[in-house]
């Protein structure tokens, strides 16, 4: 039998393959270029491309593609075959260095937010050589970044790579101050835990809302929801287990370190967590994971729902973004140290995150904003829309002791001086177990928990990296000029604690009392996507991203535009789907059932005038009234939608959809959901919540 270690990474053109297939000089040049992030010279690129092609063909590949992540949120690919005619009219298989390193793409149909005039339709993709090429479905995929010809980023990856550069630069400056001369580069690491739902394919296809929007727009609560919590970590059903086995195998072949799988809180909800990787690779792998989940679910006659809120009244799906910084010497910068100097360094990095999260609450919130995620954040199941940090009681008390120059702990009589005293040990497992915090310190990494399940992890990590880079820059500027490093460090840490401790919250984030408290502390509460997004281009945020060369101001405006348009477009589709379902399925079904009831009443009466028809009449009366109300909301929705479509300006339009369209959708839904409980099961035209959630 083949073991996992036999096939792990078998579809990846990784270091081992490169070493075995490339001439030693070529291999070394390639490695050096990757390490320094410079571009590859053409003769080396030709050699690499040729080896890649031979390797891919030996594994059955016939095509190649530049694989990239445009602003649509999904990955894009355009397949080209390796074939090329030879002079005898036969074909040979070719792949040049030029084709490997750079691709041309007609970019006119990808969202650009006005960055590209229509006459300048070309964009190009450039190989991200730090992420290995791989074979998927017989196609050699080359991970790339996607830009316009004028150099504007049109994708998620370019800014992410730039932000990794920024944090590398600033972290190295700070590390030098602590005497880490051997560290030459740092990389941020990410382990994204991915939640998803599985539903039966037959039932899925019968629901237009799921087909068009990925979430149910109607549906009465089933008698059994997640109330018993019986699903969480429960025994995995055979059909789901078979899917998970396939999924693991495919992911392992692609070198994705899929590690844990379990049932989640809601029925039919599951989670997959990989072992963490360098951020851009983790982002690529998460995109692949989502894609392969969807593909393999179909093979098992199921559909994988990645939407943030497929079912109302049931937990939605998120993505926990575990984040840390590692050095090339293997040090995790958020691992509390054993010596005073290691502690001091740890505390400074901890403070950089504290300040970054406080200064850029808005950007963190914006980086996870989407129409889908608006159904989760602040809805008593996911972190609130207010950003705060969880540090745990012990660490918080240590910071307080440092801030106030007070002794810490019962035994500790001395004051805690940074860089002089070893920090008291705090047990790791006291770190966040309440899981309601949006940004939790979990022992040696931070867990950002506000991400929606369907989104790329690129945008949130671009924000975290850049924000922390900026704070580290400020720290380095101050400390590099200090006369006495030790005391400057102590003062800086004290000051950061005093100024930013308002962002620390260790209590229950789902509690309404917290929202009131957060408001008192002056923390932002950007509840919805239209509330949050416009702050992206606030001057302080433009200053941040341009200073660290992560986004140009033009790119920021274009991204804002794309996201606002996305929001409106999604709600537009949802509203139209609702109208169609209400008109063609739900109201006709209720009307048909009314006819049955009336016919029954008439026929009963014809048998005997005094036969009791209370059941039929009461239900009929209720249904008739609900149909009228639903119809009224339906017409109101059509009207609101017409106005929404005509509203000028992306921001104003998104606000209109939020304030005027969504509430009418909710009203229509609530009548329809009551109708579902009144109409007989055999007349109801679409699978119910019970069918969907317990049907696998
Ligand atoms: P929990 O369910 O308690 O949140 P899991 O064990 O499911 O935790 O997931 C933790 C995630 O954090 C895993 O994906 C793991 O690889 C990741 N992780 C661990 N250490 C780091 C690190 N240094 N940097 C980034 N991610 C990390
Ligand atoms: Mg988690």
């Amino acid at each position: 039998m083949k073991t996992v270690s036999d096939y792990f990474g078998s579809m990846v053109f990784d270091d081992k393959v490169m070493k075995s297939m490339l001439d030693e000089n070529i291999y070394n040049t390639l490695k050096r270029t990757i390490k320094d992030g410079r571009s590859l010279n053409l003769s080396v690129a030709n050699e690499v491309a040729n080896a890649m092609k031979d390797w891919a063909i030996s594994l059955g590949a016939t095509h190649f593609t530049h694989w990239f992540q445009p602003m649509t949120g999904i990955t894009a690919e355009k397949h080209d075959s390796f074939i090329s005619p030879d002079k005898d009219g036969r074909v040979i298989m070719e792949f040049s260095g030029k084709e490997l390193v750079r691709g041309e793409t007609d970019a006119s149909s990808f969202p650009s937010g006005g960055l590209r005039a229509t006459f300048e339709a070309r964009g190009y993709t450039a190989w991200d050589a730090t992420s290995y090429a791989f074979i998927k479905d017989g196609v050699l995929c080359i991970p790339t970044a996607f830009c316009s010809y004028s150099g504007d980023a049109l994708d998620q990856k370019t800014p992410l790579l730039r932000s990794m550069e920024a944090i590398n630069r600033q972290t190295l400056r700070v590390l030098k101050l602590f005497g880490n001369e051997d560290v030459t580069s740092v990389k941020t690491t990410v382990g994204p835990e991915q939640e998803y739902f599985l539903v039966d394919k037959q039932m899925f296809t019968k629901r237009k809302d799921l087909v068009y929007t990925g979430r149910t727009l109607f549906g009465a609560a089933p008698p059994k929801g997640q109330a018993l919590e019986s699903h969480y970590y429960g025994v995995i059903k055979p059909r789901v287990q078979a899917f998970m086995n396939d999924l693991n195998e495919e992911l392992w072949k692609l070198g994705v370190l899929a590690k844990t799988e379990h049932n989640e809180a809601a029925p039919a909800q599951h989670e997959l967590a990989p072992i963490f990787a360098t951020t851009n690779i983790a982002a690529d792998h998460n995109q692949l994971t989502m894609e392969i989940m969807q593909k393999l679910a179909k093979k098992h006659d199921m559909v994988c729902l990645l939407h943030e809120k497929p079912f109302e009244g049931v937990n939605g799906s998120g993505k926990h973004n575990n984040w840390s910084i590692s050095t090339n010497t293997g040090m995790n910068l958020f691992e509390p140290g054993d010596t005073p100097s290691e502690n001091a360094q740890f505390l400074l990095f901890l403070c950089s995150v504290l300040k970054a999260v406080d200064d850029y609450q808005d950007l963190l919130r914006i980086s996870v904003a989407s129409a889908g995620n608006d159904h989760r954040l602040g809805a008593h199941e996911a972190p609130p829309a207010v950003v705060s940090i969880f540090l745990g009681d012990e660490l918080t008390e240590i910071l307080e002791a440092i801030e106030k120059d007070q002794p810490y702990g019962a035994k500790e009589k001395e004051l805690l001086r940074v860089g002089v005293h070893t920090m008291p040990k705090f047990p790791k497992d006291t770190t966040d177990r309440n899981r309601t915090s949006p940004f939790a310190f979990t022992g040696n990494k931070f867990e950002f928990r506000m991400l929606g399940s369907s989104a790329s992890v690129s945008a949130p990590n671009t924000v975290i990296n850049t924000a922390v880079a900026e704070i580290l820059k400020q720290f380095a500027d101050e400390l590099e000029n200090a006369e006495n490093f030790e005391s400057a460090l102590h003062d800086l840490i004290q000051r950061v604690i005093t100024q930013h401790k308002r962002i620390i919250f260790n209590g229950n984030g789902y509690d309404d009392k917290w929202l009131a408290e957060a408001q008192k502390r002056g923390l932002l509460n950007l509840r919805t996507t239209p509330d949050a997004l416009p702050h992206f281009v606030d001057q302080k945020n433009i200053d941040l991203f341009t200073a660290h060369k992560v986004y140009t101001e033009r790119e920021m405006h274009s991204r804002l535009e794309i996201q606002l348009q996305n929001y409106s477009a999604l709600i537009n589709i949802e509203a139209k789907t609702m109208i169609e379902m209400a008109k063609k399925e739900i109201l006709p079904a209720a009307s048909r059932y009314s006819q049955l009831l009336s016919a029954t009443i008439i026929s009963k009466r014809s048998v005997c005038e005094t036969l009791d028809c209370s059941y039929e009449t009461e239900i009929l009366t209720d249904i008739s009234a609900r149909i009228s109300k639903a119809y009224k909301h339906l017409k109101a929705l059509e009207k609101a939608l017409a106005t929404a479509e005509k509203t000028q300006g992306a921001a104003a339009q998104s606000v209109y959809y939020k304030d005027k369209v969504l509430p009418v959708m909710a009203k229509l839904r609530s009548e329809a959901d009551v109708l579902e409980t009144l109409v007989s099961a055999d007349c109801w035209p679409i699978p119910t919540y019970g069918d969907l959630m317990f049907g696998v």
Side-chain angles (χ1 to χ4, degrees):
M1 211 181 94
K2 265 185 124 182
T3 64
V4 178
S5 46
D6 292 331
Y7 66 77
F8 184 85
S10 59
M11 291 295 172
V12 185
F13 193 74
D14 59 12
D15 201 56
K16 205 174 81 214
V17 183
M18 286 186 213
K19 219 171 192 160
S20 73
M21 295 197 67
L22 295 170
D23 168 273
E24 199 180 323
N25 278 332
I26 300 283
Y27 170 81
N28 288 334
T29 316
L30 176 64
K31 291 295 280 184
R32 232 183 357 258
T33 336
I34 292 174
K35 196 174 145 271
D36 303 342
R38 275 182 293 125
S39 54
L40 214 54
N41 98 21
L42 198 57
S43 68
V44 177
N46 278 330
E47 296 277 344
V48 178
N50 203 37
M52 231 185 231
K53 176 206 70 185
D54 289 344
W55 168 81
I57 289 173
S58 77
L59 289 166
T62 51
H63 288 68
F64 70 92
T65 183
H66 276 202
W67 187 78
F68 58 102
Q69 291 148 36
M71 296 296 297
T72 51
I74 51 171
T75 46
E77 37 193 83
K78 179 187 108 200
H79 303 170
D80 277 304
S81 73
F82 292 122
I83 65 164
S84 163
D86 73 1
K87 54 183 187 318
D88 306 322
R90 313 269 298 269
V91 293
I92 48 168
M93 302 299 256
E94 268 186 348
F95 182 45
S96 70
K98 234 167 77 192
E99 287 171 308
L100 164 65
V101 172
R102 194 173 157 112
E104 278 212 24
T105 302
D106 176 3
S108 57
S109 296
F110 290 110
S112 81
L115 271 184
R116 200 180 345 81
T118 34
F119 61 84
E120 193 201 273
R122 289 178 314 163
Y124 71 91
T125 47
W127 185 26
D128 166 17
T130 57
S131 183
Y132 296 133
F134 56 91
I135 297 171
K136 176 171 69 73
D137 298 328
V139 179
L140 170 67
C141 299
I142 298 145
T144 54
F146 176 40
C147 292
S148 77
Y149 260 82
S150 42
D152 295 310
L154 295 175
D155 68 349
Q156 313 260 24
K157 182 173 243 184
T158 308
L160 180 66
L161 291 171
R162 292 174 183 162
S163 74
M164 290 169 68
E165 261 311 299
I167 198 166
N168 175 56
R169 263 192 310 271
Q170 304 304 333
T171 307
L172 288 178
R173 288 177 64 194
V174 170
L175 283 175
K176 219 169 228 112
L177 293 167
F178 287 92
N180 300 282
E181 297 296 337
D182 50 341
V183 178
T184 53
S185 75
V186 305
K187 291 206 162 101
T188 53
T189 50
V190 163
E193 302 164 56
Q194 176 73 47
E195 291 183 332
Y196 61 99
F197 279 85
L198 289 173
V199 296
D200 183 80
K201 194 159 101 191
Q202 307 285 326
M203 293 191 199
F204 170 91
T205 39
K206 289 192 190 128
R207 300 249 349 186
K208 289 208 173 67
D209 46 5
L210 286 180
V211 172
Y212 292 141
T213 73
R215 78 170 176 114
T216 54
L217 299 166
F218 296 102
K224 180 182 174 185
Q226 63 186 65
L228 298 176
E229 302 280 354
S230 53
H231 190 255
Y232 194 52
Y233 280 37
V235 177
I236 299 172
K237 291 184 184 154
R239 192 166 161 199
V240 173
Q241 189 61 62
F243 157 82
M244 286 178 173
N245 294 348
D246 263 12
L247 177 63
N248 285 335
E249 189 174 324
E250 283 252 338
L251 290 176
W252 288 336
K253 280 188 199 160
L254 290 167
V256 178
L257 292 154
K259 174 82 173 164
T260 49
E261 56 192 22
H262 61 78
N263 287 350
E264 258 303 326
Q269 192 185 28
H270 311 280
E271 182 187 291
L272 181 140
I275 296 174
F276 67 95
T278 301
T279 304
N280 61 321
I281 295 164
D284 283 357
H285 282 180
N286 183 247
Q287 292 297 119
L288 268 178
T289 302
M290 292 193 287
E291 185 184 324
I292 290 169
M293 276 176 170
Q294 286 173 308
K295 186 183 85 182
L296 289 181
K298 293 218 174 87
K299 209 179 112 191
H300 290 264
D301 269 326
M302 297 185 287
V303 174
C304 169
L305 303 177
L306 289 171
H307 193 282
E308 284 73 20
K309 192 74 176 178
F311 303 104
E312 199 169 273
V314 170
N315 265 15
S317 298
K319 181 139 54 188
H320 288 176
N321 189 87
N322 295 275
W323 176 92
S324 187
I325 313 177
S326 290
T327 66
N328 63 316
T329 55
M331 183 167 40
N332 175 351
L333 297 182
F334 295 106
E335 184 77 52
D338 292 327
T339 64
S341 116
E342 283 170 357
N343 289 165
Q345 184 183 303
F346 163 76
L347 281 172
L348 189 66
F349 280 105
L350 184 81
C351 283
S352 74
V353 176
L354 206 63
K355 180 161 163 56
V357 172
D358 191 21
D359 285 351
Y360 299 102
Q361 297 163 45
D362 49 352
L363 284 179
L364 288 167
R365 169 67 185 94
I366 289 163
S367 75
V368 298
S370 70
N373 218 11
D374 280 1
H375 297 290
R376 290 176 65 245
L377 298 179
H380 297 277
E381 57 168 277
V386 178
V387 177
S388 65
I389 282 198
F390 172 98
L391 290 183
D393 292 337
E394 282 84 355
L395 195 49
T396 307
E397 279 165 29
I398 291 171
L399 294 192
E400 267 165 15
I402 294 170
E403 183 202 1
K404 306 214 167 84
D405 277 330
Q406 276 169 358
Y408 172 82
K411 276 180 268 155
E412 199 81 39
K413 286 285 168 280
E414 277 179 299
L415 309 182
L416 264 185
R417 286 289 301 177
V418 175
V420 176
H421 294 104
T422 302
M423 227 168 43
K425 281 264 171 269
F426 51 96
K428 251 189 201 158
D429 54 34
T430 60
T431 54
D432 189 25
R433 287 293 138 202
N434 78 36
R435 308 202 157 249
T436 61
S437 172
F439 209 102
F441 179 65
T442 51
N444 59 4
K445 61 183 169 17
F446 288 90
E447 186 168 352
F448 185 29
R449 299 200 178 111
M450 291 172 89
L451 286 75
S453 47
S454 68
S456 158
V457 300
S458 295
N461 285 295
T462 301
V463 168
I464 301 174
N465 292 346
T466 314
V468 174
E470 166 60 27
I471 308 305
L472 291 174
K473 175 189 174 289
Q474 296 170 13
F475 288 0
D477 287 347
E478 182 170 332
L479 296 174
E480 279 168 358
N481 294 321
E483 270 169 33
N484 179 333
F485 175 69
E486 240 86 90
S487 76
L489 178 66
H490 189 86
D491 293 349
L492 173 60
I493 287 178
Q494 267 188 334
R495 180 159 25 90
V496 171
I497 299 170
T498 306
Q499 287 173 354
H500 300 284
K501 64 183 174 192
R502 65 168 187 167
I503 198 77
I504 304 172
F505 177 64
N506 296 326
N508 180 4
Y510 296 1
D511 196 334
D512 287 334
K513 275 189 250 146
W514 163 233
L515 290 186
E517 162 73 16
Q519 194 177 13
K520 256 196 255 151
R521 294 190 192 182
L523 301 182
L524 285 172
N525 186 3
L526 300 169
R527 282 195 43 253
T528 65
T529 298
D531 295 333
L533 286 180
H535 291 288
F536 187 56
V537 293
D538 286 355
Q539 193 56 47
K540 78 178 225 304
N541 297 335
I542 293 179
D543 291 346
L544 170 76
F545 284 121
T546 52
H548 293 275
K549 301 199 164 33
V550 170
Y551 292 117
T552 62
E553 191 169 344
R554 239 160 74 91
E555 287 170 343
M556 292 181 71
H557 281 284
S558 92
R559 255 147 232 263
L560 171 60
E561 190 81 4
I562 291 170
Q563 281 197 285
L564 288 168
Q565 284 169 355
N566 257 342
Y567 176 87
S568 296
L570 265 169
I571 296 184
N572 182 274
I573 295 170
E574 289 186 351
K576 281 187 173 151
T577 306
M578 276 194 108
I579 290 170
E580 183 171 319
M581 286 175 77
K583 262 192 181 160
K584 302 213 159 168
E585 296 178 306
I586 292 173
L587 293 182
S591 179
R592 221 173 316 130
Y593 187 55
S594 312
Q595 195 197 352
L596 280 179
L597 290 171
S598 340
T600 311
I601 297 170
I602 292 169
S603 76
K604 273 179 153 183
R605 294 259 154 87
S606 75
V607 174
C608 168
E609 274 290 326
T610 53
L611 264 187
D612 181 22
C613 292
S614 55
Y615 162 68
E616 289 84 357
T617 355
E618 275 173 38
I619 301 275
L620 180 61
T621 314
D622 201 358
I623 290 183
S624 301
R626 303 269 175 195
I627 290 179
S628 303
K629 275 198 210 155
Y631 185 55
K632 194 186 84 196
H633 297 318
L634 176 68
K635 284 192 292 186
L637 183 55
E638 284 177 326
K639 216 171 129 204
L641 203 54
T643 316
E645 284 172 350
K646 277 189 293 209
T647 305
Q648 294 296 311
Q653 192 177 43
S654 73
V655 170
Y656 193 90
Y657 272 104
K658 167 178 75 89
D659 289 339
K660 303 286 186 223
V661 176
L662 279 179
V664 192
M665 284 167 64
K667 283 187 190 158
L668 172 57
R669 175 180 183 146
S670 93
E671 293 305 330
D673 288 357
V674 180
L675 281 172
E676 184 185 329
T677 66
L678 297 171
V679 173
S680 79
D682 53 340
C683 283
W684 196 248
I686 54 175
T688 64
Y689 267 29
D691 297 336
L692 287 165
M693 282 189 289
F694 299 94
V696 163

